[in-house]
Each structure stands twice: as C-alpha cells, then as structure tokens.
Amino acid sequence: MNRNISLYEAVGGADKIRSIVESFYPKVQKHPLLGPLFPEDIDPVMEKQYQFLTQFFGGPSLYSDQYGHPMMRARHLPFPITPERAEAWLDCMRRALEDVGIEPELRSILLDRLSGPAHHFVNTTKEEP
Ligand code: HEM
C-alpha cells in the first residue's frame, strides 16, 4: 500500500465508503447480538456512519462539521456494549470489507484501526441495560 495517501483514498473514497456502510448494516441488523440495539429505520445511522468513517479514515470532516466533536464512547454509553458485541461489530465489518472487495492487506489495516475504538466502547459485561 502507498503510505503517502490517506486510508480514505486507499479505500477508494466516498463511493467505496458508501458501499462498505451499505454492506455492513444489513449484517449488523441480522446479527443476534447487535440487531436488537439498532432502530428499524437504519438509514439515519448509515448516513452518520458514512460521515464518521469518512473522517476517521482521513477524508473530509463530514461528521464533525454536522455534529461537533465525535465523543464516540459517550455516544455509545446508552447501549450495553459487551466484549462479545465489540467482536461481533468487528466481524460484521470484516465481512463487509471483504464483500466490497477491499484487498486483504488494506482490510487488516482498516480492521486494526477500528479495533481500538470498538474495544474502547465496551461499557458492560451484561447484555441487558
Ligand atoms: C463495539 C461495538 C459497537 C456497537 C455494539 C455499536 C452500536 C451502536 C448503536 C446501537 C448506535 C446507535 C444507533 C442509533 O442511532 O440508535 C451506534 C451509533 C454509532 N456508532 Fe456504533 N457501535 C459499536 C462500535 C462502533 C465503532 C467501532 C464505530 C466507529 C469507529 C462506531 C460508530 C458509530 C457512529 C458514527 C454512530 C452514530 C453516532 C451518532 O448518533 O451520531 N460504532 N453504534
């Protein structure tokens, strides 16, 4: 991978981030540990994730421009996030990256970058609030 470009560019920019998000949320909704945490109308969540991942991977600061400081751990506090849910989230993301054709080396870099936040958002060992 060319180290001089952002992960956002390496992934393929806006269209590819969109495809990742569109592949990811149906997997999340189907996952027995994750589905119940999410609203039925997933479109607003998908839009926010598109904006967030864009900036997280070094693209334009779409999320912060609209919502201010991400404070992602705080925004996840209302939801009981167990270590198993963090792993499940990362596994859905791994499959989404695979499905949209991100090659293995880049895939593992992206998952590595997401793994820190995912584990950092763990806030309980109990599945129920
Ligand atoms: C660790 C496992 C995770 C679980 C179980 C989880 C679950 C959730 C849930 C339930 C929501 C709220 C959906 C709603 O609006 O009702 C949410 C929002 C969100 N999550 Fe996660 N999440 C996890 C990890 C992550 C990670 C690793 C990232 C990105 C690095 C992320 C980014 C976001 C974003 C951007 C939002 C929208 C925040 C907003 O409302 O502005 N999540 N997540």
Side-chain angles (χ1 to χ4, degrees), residues 24-25 28 33-34 37-39 42 44-45 48-53 56 63 67 70 72 75-76 79-83 85-90 113-122:
F24 175 67
Y25 279 101
V28 165
L33 283 177
L34 301 176
L37 299 181
F38 286 82
I42 202 74
V45 183
K48 286 175 172 174
Q49 190 63 273
Y50 164 73
Q51 294 172 319
F52 182 80
L53 289 181
F56 186 74
Y63 184 90
Y67 302 105
M72 270 304 145
R75 289 190 208 264
H76 284 80
F79 309 100
I81 303 189
T82 59
R85 282 187 167 128
E87 285 305 325
W89 192 102
L90 288 166
R113 291 289 295 272
L114 289 166
S115 157
H119 291 107
H120 179 63
F121 299 165
V122 170

Side-chain angles (χ1 to χ4, degrees), residues 4 6 17 19 23 25 28-29 35 47 55-56 61 66 78 85 90 95 106 119-120:
N4 297 317
S6 65
I17 303 272
S19 315
S23 172
Y25 279 101
V28 165
Q29 286 181 300
E47 186 57 27
Q55 85 180 46
F56 186 74
S61 55
Q66 194 159 345
R85 282 187 167 128
L90 288 166
R95 289 186 285 130
L106 179 55
H119 291 107
H120 179 63

